[in-house]
């Protein structure tokens, strides 16, 4: 664990919590005087079930659009909902982190979902400052964890949310003197996170890698995380049968792979059990011209894309864990 001259490590719980109010946005301020590397949090939901039919990942779906936001403007790390984040997190942590599923038994229940924004992607060292949000930079006036509460129907029918809260259990980073900040976080060398997410739907079977998803240019993509769902919105291992990643000249840079075969090998390499419908692609492993030690870097849309074959109607929810090439432009 490296030391940074004229800087000190800092980890603390954040005292502010966000309490549930249906369909309302929330924000939790983070320290303006710290350069953040890992932010860990927890969702607690107290709910009552009565003749309930619950949804897969429903507790986590109660939180929409979770993000780390700077200057109440750019969202550097944003996900569709907490379920996308915790599933990604589990792949970075060998299947760990609590992700309770809703209980449909009549009565009162409490469920928990743990999550984290691991900016340097270093599971062993939360103080790794190679990628961070440098809140001490002059151009950053504030940083918040933000999101929007959903409703009880996100958990399922026959559910009443009695109370819920989001809290930040640990926030890691470095607090520096002015000299230490200039030396250790110079603008020309900073790597700041810049995630992208989206959903691609399909109405039926499409053969021969007929579905495509372009990768994002002008950033360095470190990881690609895909969640495959069927037409009912449940995670599935059968809706996508195979996938690959290709260059503009039609050469493969990754694959082609059978979906379940790749998922099993991936889980084995991560020392975890496979999670239905999910695959993680480490973009530092591509052996082509666009690959750097940090990830893949593209100049134009269409330089590289994911292509896949489907067997039925469903969707692919994607997350590109990327870093900014020009971090001064936030």
């Amino acid at each position: 664990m490296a030391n940074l001259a004229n800087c000190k490590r800092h980890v603390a719980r954040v005292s502010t919590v966000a309490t549930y109010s249906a369909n309302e946005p929330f924000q939790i301020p983070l320290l303006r005087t710290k350069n953040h590397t890992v932010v860990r949090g927890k969702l607690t939901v107290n709910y009552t079930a009565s003749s309930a039919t619950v949804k897969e990942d429903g507790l986590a779906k109660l939180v929409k659009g979770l993000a780390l936001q700077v200057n109440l403007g750019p969202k550097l790390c944003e996900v569709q909902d907490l379920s996308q984040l915790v599933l990604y997190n589990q792949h970075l942590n060998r299947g760990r982190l609590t992700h309770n599923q809703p209980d449909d038994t009549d009565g009162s229940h409490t469920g928990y979902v743990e999550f984290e924004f691991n900016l340097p992607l270093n599971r062993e060292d939360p103080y790794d400052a190679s990628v961070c949000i440098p809140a001490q930079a002059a151009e950053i006036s504030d940083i918040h964890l933000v999101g929007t509460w959903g409703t009880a129907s996100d958990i399922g029918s026959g559910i009443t949310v009695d109370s819920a809260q989001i809290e930040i259990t640990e926030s890691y980073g470095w607090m520096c003197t002015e000299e230490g900040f200039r030396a250790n976080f110079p603008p020309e060398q900073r790597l700041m996170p810049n995630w992208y997410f989206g959903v691609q739907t399909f109405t039926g079977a499409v053969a021969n890698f007929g579905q495509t998803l372009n990768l994002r240019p002008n950033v360095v993509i470190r990881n690609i995380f895909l969640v495959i769902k069927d037409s009912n919105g449940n995670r599935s291992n059968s809706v996508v049968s195979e996938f690959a990643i290709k260059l503009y000249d039609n050469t493969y840079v990754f694959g082609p792979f059978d979906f379940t075969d790749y998922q099993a090998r991936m889980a084995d390499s991560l020392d975890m059990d496979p999670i239905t419908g999910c695959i993680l692609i480490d973009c530092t492993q591509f052996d082509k011209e666009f690959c750097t030690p940090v990830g893949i870097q593209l100049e134009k849309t269409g330089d590289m894309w994911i292509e896949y074959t489907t067997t039925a109607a469903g969707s692919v929810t994607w997350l590109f864990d990327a870093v900014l090439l020009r971090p001064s432009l936030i």
Side-chain angles (χ1 to χ4, degrees):
M1 188 179 296
N3 290 315
L4 301 182
N6 296 309
C7 299
K8 63 179 181 180
R9 297 184 187 92
H10 186 272
V11 59
R13 178 177 62 88
V14 176
S15 58
T16 303
V17 300
T19 56
Y20 174 74
S21 181
N23 293 319
E24 291 295 318
F26 63 83
Q27 57 180 230
I28 300 175
L30 304 182
L31 273 180
R32 165 65 181 82
T33 56
K34 181 161 69 175
N35 306 296
H36 299 271
T37 54
V38 173
V39 177
R40 292 176 177 155
K42 181 173 70 174
L43 167 70
T44 302
V45 184
N46 299 301
Y47 62 102
T48 301
S50 178
S51 301
T53 301
V54 297
K55 296 181 180 179
E56 181 182 63
D57 305 328
L59 297 180
K61 289 176 180 176
L62 187 63
V63 180
K64 314 294 185 184
L66 197 66
L68 295 178
Q69 184 179 35
V70 297
N71 301 343
L72 294 178
K75 295 179 179 179
L76 299 185
C77 301
E78 184 178 15
V79 291
Q80 180 186 41
D81 56 35
L82 181 53
S83 71
Q84 184 182 33
L85 180 60
V86 68
L87 289 169
Y88 177 48
N89 290 163
Q90 288 182 317
H91 284 75
L92 302 180
N93 290 277
R94 297 180 180 174
R96 298 179 179 91
L97 295 184
T98 301
H99 180 23
N100 290 162
Q101 295 295 322
D103 190 332
D104 62 1
T105 307
D106 283 1
S108 298
H109 307 283
T110 300
Y112 304 95
V113 180
E114 296 177 310
F115 63 91
E116 68 177 27
F117 294 91
N118 189 326
L119 307 184
L121 290 181
N122 187 335
R123 191 174 58 84
E124 305 298 331
D125 182 8
Y127 294 102
D128 181 345
S130 58
V131 179
C132 72
I133 297 179
Q136 288 188 267
E139 64 269 22
I140 296 181
S141 59
D142 54 62
I143 173 174
H144 291 82
L145 176 72
V146 301
T148 300
W149 292 106
T151 66
S153 63
D154 292 308
I155 302 175
S157 62
I159 295 291
T160 301
V161 176
D162 302 313
S163 65
Q165 72 170 32
I166 288 273
E167 60 185 311
I168 297 175
T169 55
E170 293 174 311
S171 175
Y172 290 82
W174 295 87
M175 301 178 75
C176 305
T177 65
E178 184 176 349
E179 178 185 5
F181 182 74
R182 287 198 308 268
N184 294 292
F185 300 95
E188 67 276 7
Q189 295 179 17
R190 290 181 202 148
L191 288 178
M192 290 172 58
N194 196 32
W195 296 6
Y196 298 91
F197 77 91
V199 181
Q200 188 172 76
T201 59
F202 38 90
T203 58
V206 179
N208 300 320
F209 300 98
Q211 291 283 3
T212 60
L213 172 64
N214 282 322
L215 300 190
R216 185 88 179 199
N218 299 318
V219 293
V220 177
I221 302 174
R222 303 183 297 175
N223 281 330
I224 298 169
F225 181 63
L226 304 179
V227 182
I228 316 302
K229 299 179 181 180
D230 62 23
S231 57
N232 295 316
N234 296 318
R235 290 183 277 109
S236 171
N237 286 340
S238 61
V239 173
V240 169
S241 59
E242 56 186 351
F243 74 98
I245 299 181
K246 272 188 175 182
L247 282 177
Y248 59 89
D249 62 2
N250 260 344
T251 60
Y252 289 109
V253 294
F254 195 72
F257 295 111
D258 175 89
F259 183 88
T260 53
D261 285 351
Y262 174 81
Q263 184 190 59
R265 292 199 301 272
M266 172 212 68
D268 185 61
S269 70
L270 296 173
D271 193 24
M272 61 178 284
D273 293 330
I275 298 178
T276 300
C278 301
I279 56 172
L280 176 69
I281 301 169
D282 181 350
C283 297
T284 67
Q285 302 301 310
F286 294 2
D287 187 23
K288 289 289 180 179
E289 61 183 295
F290 292 110
C291 187
T292 74
V294 179
I296 53 174
Q297 180 179 335
L298 311 176
E299 292 184 359
K300 299 178 181 179
T301 299
D303 278 347
M304 189 182 294
W305 63 87
I306 302 169
E307 59 181 24
Y308 57 98
T309 298
T310 66
T311 63
S315 66
V316 172
T317 303
W318 50 268
L319 176 67
F320 300 156
D321 183 332
V323 293
L324 284 166
L325 294 174
R326 297 183 179 180
S328 61
L329 303 178
I330 61 173

